[in-house]
């Protein structure tokens, strides 16, 4: 292993330049990908997919966020903030305290 490393080129930056380019970062004004996904999810009135969320996010700000969107949606399902309706389709969890949600988790009347 040491012999292989000895033959590799040195990656130390030379004065005034960087040997490794810095990763592309989102603009400081843009929210985190997690916050952006949570905002997008809150805006959907009915069932939606990860692709729908991707379409709502600003283009080019987050690079290729597909896997991250999927991870955030899975986390929201595990925390009880979303329901997985079917594979790849999600829906918000109705709030039992909101009026107009009769039959969605509220007390049943006889």
């Amino acid at each position: 292993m040491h012999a292989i490393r000895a033959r590799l080129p040195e990656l130390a930056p030379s004065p005034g330049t960087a040997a490794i380019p810095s990763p592309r970062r989102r603009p400081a004004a843009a929210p985190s990908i997690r916050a952006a996904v949570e905002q997008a999810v809150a805006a959907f009135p009915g069932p939606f997919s990860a692709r729908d969320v991707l379409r709502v996010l600003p283009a080019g700000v987050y690079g290729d966020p597909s896997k991250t969107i999927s991870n955030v949606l899975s986390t929201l399902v595990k925390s009880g903030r979303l329901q997985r309706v079917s594979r790849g389709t999600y829906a918000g969890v109705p709030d039992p305290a909101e009026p107009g949600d009769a039959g969605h988790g509220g007390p049943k009347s006889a």
Side-chain angles (χ1 to χ4, degrees):
M1 189 68 150
H2 294 290
I4 293 172
R5 286 188 185 152
R7 286 189 244 157
L8 292 174
E10 190 65 37
L11 293 178
S14 58
T17 62
I20 302 171
S22 62
R24 192 168 133 201
R25 299 184 56 87
R26 64 181 166 79
S32 71
I33 184 71
R34 181 183 181 95
V37 170
E38 288 178 357
Q39 286 177 344
V41 163
F44 289 112
F48 59 90
S49 69
R51 183 171 289 173
D52 296 328
V53 174
L54 181 61
R55 288 182 188 136
V56 173
L57 296 179
V61 174
Y62 299 104
D64 183 19
S66 299
K67 181 67 175 176
T68 304
I69 290 170
S70 176
N71 289 343
V72 172
L73 293 174
S74 291
T75 300
L76 292 173
V77 168
K78 289 176 185 175
S79 70
R81 294 173 59 192
L82 277 184
Q83 289 178 326
R84 185 171 280 124
V85 178
S86 63
R87 185 175 178 187
T89 305
Y90 302 88
V93 175
D95 185 359
E98 286 186 23
D101 277 346
H104 292 282
K108 298 191 185 264
S109 58

